[in-house]
Amino acid sequence: MTTNDSFPLGQPAFVTHVLDRAAHLRSDDDKLFKLESGRDARAYVVHRDSLVMAKQADGVRALLTIDEALTFGANSGTIFLGLRDGAPLFGMGIAADAVERLLIRNDVAVSELRGMAMEGAVPAGELSAIAMAKSMVSWHQRHGYCANCGARTVMSQGGWKRDCPSCKAEHFPRTDPVVIMLVTFGDKCLLGRQKQFPHGMYSCLAGFVEAAETFEDAVRREVFEESGIRCGDVAYYMTQPWPYPSSLMIGCSAQATTEDIVVDHTELEDARWFSRDEAMLMHHRRHPDGLTGAHSFAIAHHLLGRWLHGPSSAT
């Protein structure tokens, strides 16, 4: 099995949920403190897009004890993620200067999450909880001050809320909806590439949902803006949490009603129609020109795979 096959069709990264979020415990400070102090408490330590992990003889371990996390220099404030088999899991942040000191150690690894997940270095079953930790740590780092009055806010509700002691405003984490869509026209599909993509990679078009906009309208608008293609019917497939920093990818299929592409080069480097046969070669990384689709880590891979492996009339 290749690393691109590590996420079976319909199961991209971050969707396998193994936690009981136990939201009823978030308001019980005494209970959370007791859980955090227990021997079975564990934490994921997040630095930007990376994880701080313990090195072991057989690889790396992302799930740290609270003492390990604090010894490595993690911030003392914890975010309660939930319970896994009854054991409490927390998310913790860490300052850049603490990370710098870790980089010279032989018993610690600080590695970018996306690359590790693609390589299978972190078990797929842990990725949902890690995504939660990453999104929440990022939210706290970006929302330390009240948007209403500018005063410093404080963490509450096990990390799922920030309160302003000055104006009493309450602040909650948000998730940004993003549509990602496979557009088809007969027996071909529309794929695009951005400049930062790996060489030869094409993927589904995507974009943020705007205020007071339906998912269906967002699909039609984004496809037209980026490629000049008009779409009719739009169908929902599945969602994927995407912790960069905190989005929800809404996977859709869309039927094109026009065929002529006009690329918006501020958004895309290129966009092309691909036949089913050529897309199949890209999907399985066998294209003679080295073209590829998205990695199975991402929902785009699963949108394309669903179309390719369905009946020829699938959209």
Side-chain angles (χ1 to χ4, degrees), residues 5-28:
D5 298 326
S6 54
F7 298 93
L9 192 61
Q11 299 178 44
F14 308 126
V15 303
T16 303
H17 188 65
V18 295
L19 288 186
D20 171 6
R21 294 188 179 226
H24 64 284
L25 297 176
R26 295 174 186 172
S27 59
D28 191 337

Side-chain angles (χ1 to χ4, degrees), residues 146 148-149 161-171:
C146 179
N148 186 50
C149 74
K161 180 183 171 187
R162 293 193 73 90
D163 292 323
C164 178
S166 178
C167 71
K168 309 305 179 185
E170 299 175 322
H171 303 278

Side-chain angles (χ1 to χ4, degrees), residues 34-45:
K34 184 176 179 181
L35 288 172
E36 184 181 336
S37 303
R39 296 180 60 183
D40 58 351
R42 297 293 184 270
Y44 294 108
V45 178

Side-chain angles (χ1 to χ4, degrees), residues 101-122:
R101 292 191 291 271
L102 293 176
L103 296 178
I104 62 173
R105 292 178 53 161
N106 295 323
D107 60 336
V108 183
V110 182
S111 300
E112 194 269 333
L113 172 59
R114 190 182 320 213
M116 289 190 304
M118 288 181 177
E119 295 166 4
V122 177

Side-chain angles (χ1 to χ4, degrees), residues 44-52 92-100 102-103 110-113 133-134 137-138 141:
Y44 294 108
V45 178
V46 178
H47 175 63
R48 297 177 182 168
D49 289 341
S50 297
L51 280 178
V52 176
M92 302 175 73
I94 186 170
D97 57 348
V99 171
E100 287 294 324
L102 293 176
L103 296 178
V110 182
S111 300
E112 194 269 333
L113 172 59
K134 183 185 180 307
V137 167
S138 296
Q141 291 173 341

Side-chain angles (χ1 to χ4, degrees), residues 75-91:
N75 301 328
S76 56
T78 57
I79 301 161
F80 177 62
L81 305 179
L83 304 174
R84 180 172 183 175
D85 298 326
L89 265 62
F90 297 87

Side-chain angles (χ1 to χ4, degrees), residues 1-2 10 31 37 59 66 78 84 113 119 142 169 179 186-187 193 207 210 217 226 252 258 262 265-266 276-277:
M1 182 173 70
T2 69
K31 179 65 173 178
S37 303
I66 301 297
T78 57
R84 180 172 183 175
L113 172 59
E119 295 166 4
R142 291 180 288 113
V179 288
D187 207 36
R193 64 169 282 108
E210 294 186 346
D217 283 344
E226 295 187 357
C252 299
T258 62
V262 180
H265 289 288
T266 63
R276 186 181 293 268
D277 289 343

